Amino acid sequence: MKKYRDDERLLAIELSNEPGWKRSSRKFVEAMAKMLTHYRGSVPLTMGSTSLANNTDYLDWGLDILQFHYNFAQTPALFRRVLEQAALTKSRQGKQVWLSEWQRVRPGEGFFADVTGEARYPDYSSLAPLIHEANIGNFFWSLMLRPASELHFRRQGVVNGLFHEDGAVWNLDDARTIKAMSGDPEYDGTERKEYPDWMTEMEESTIPRTGPRPR
């Protein structure tokens, strides 16, 4: 904090990401919040959370920016409702609210529902227009193509992200709808809906191959 609290390169300082609510975790992050707010500078403080509701405690701890994650919405209507709640929270609390993880509309009951077919792949265009309309600060997950973080999804071939390492994109519609959030929807690039070779070659991988085998 002493080194970075006034660093103008930083948009914010994040205390923790999804700390959970086990007694030990809560005790730790609350103590860390006291330390960070004691040494606070000009850079706002925040914490990643799984829902807007978590931020009630974070406000009491003196954090400046509210974050929430909503990666997979069952329907656009449900997603729009959450965005409306975020806008209302922003107005009532007088603080910035960021949607700091989002990915796509995905059917299924619960976060860990099995995923098959096209639901395994990125579809930012299913949510980006709604976020743009709501005017909520946001960060999509993720810029570079990568296997899903959760092993449950990784084994089912779920991939996240936009760009291949060579600059091609998984989905041109996604690239254009994300760029349109800046006011300019024009994007010319190469689309390649293939798993990167390094992803299918991971040890004990059960991910189906979509592209040619490496030479």
Side-chain angles (χ1 to χ4, degrees), residues 102-116:
W102 62 272
Q103 296 187 49
R104 59 163 296 150
V105 170
R106 192 185 72 184
E109 294 293 330
F111 183 83
F112 285 103
D114 287 342
V115 181
T116 59

Side-chain angles (χ1 to χ4, degrees), residues 9-14 17-18 44-49 65-72 79 83 96-104 124 127-128 130-132 135-144 146 160-162 174 177-179 181:
R9 298 172 299 175
L10 300 180
L11 190 61
I13 294 175
E14 185 175 85
N17 180 59
E18 299 185 5
L45 304 178
T46 187
M47 179 141 55
S49 62
I65 296 173
L66 310 185
Q67 283 189 63
F68 71 104
H69 301 160
Y70 195 8
N71 281 288
F72 305 112
F79 193 74
L83 294 177
Q96 287 294 316
V97 176
W98 292 345
L99 170 57
S100 47
E101 288 185 18
W102 62 272
Q103 296 187 49
R104 59 163 296 150
Y124 299 110
L127 297 179
L130 301 178
I131 300 171
H132 191 195
N135 195 28
I136 293 291
N138 70 95
F139 305 84
F140 65 93
W141 183 273
S142 66
L143 182 66
M144 303 302 295
R146 58 192 301 280
N160 315 131
L162 183 62
D174 285 354
T177 54
I178 287 175
K179 191 166 184 286
M181 297 171 79

Side-chain angles (χ1 to χ4, degrees), residues 69-90:
H69 301 160
Y70 195 8
N71 281 288
F72 305 112
Q74 287 181 305
T75 66
L78 286 174
F79 193 74
R80 183 180 284 109
R81 191 178 308 164
V82 172
L83 294 177
E84 290 171 352
Q85 294 172 350
L88 183 60
T89 300
K90 177 181 177 180

Side-chain angles (χ1 to χ4, degrees), residues 71-72 102-107 114-127 141-142 145-148 153-154 156-162 164 169-171 174 192-196 199-200 206-211:
N71 281 288
F72 305 112
W102 62 272
Q103 296 187 49
R104 59 163 296 150
V105 170
R106 192 185 72 184
D114 287 342
V115 181
T116 59
E118 291 296 317
R120 296 176 298 171
Y121 310 135
D123 187 8
Y124 299 110
S125 62
S126 64
L127 297 179
W141 183 273
S142 66
L145 279 170
R146 58 192 301 280
F153 294 130
R154 187 179 300 182
Q156 295 178 49
V158 174
V159 61
N160 315 131
L162 183 62
H164 288 274
V169 295
W170 180 278
N171 189 319
D174 285 354
R192 190 168 71 252
K193 294 182 178 180
E194 296 177 356
Y195 292 115
M199 184 173 168
T200 53
T206 59
I207 295 169
R209 181 176 297 279
T210 63

Side-chain angles (χ1 to χ4, degrees), residues 1-7 10 12-15 31-46 62-64:
M1 285 300 294
K2 289 181 178 178
K3 184 173 183 179
Y4 294 109
R5 62 187 175 186
D6 295 313
D7 192 325
L10 300 180
I13 294 175
E14 185 175 85
L15 161 62
M32 286 292 293
K34 289 180 179 178
M35 182 63 70
L36 267 67
T37 53
H38 177 75
Y39 288 101
R40 74 186 322 138
S42 60
V43 180
L45 304 178
T46 187
L63 303 188
D64 305 303

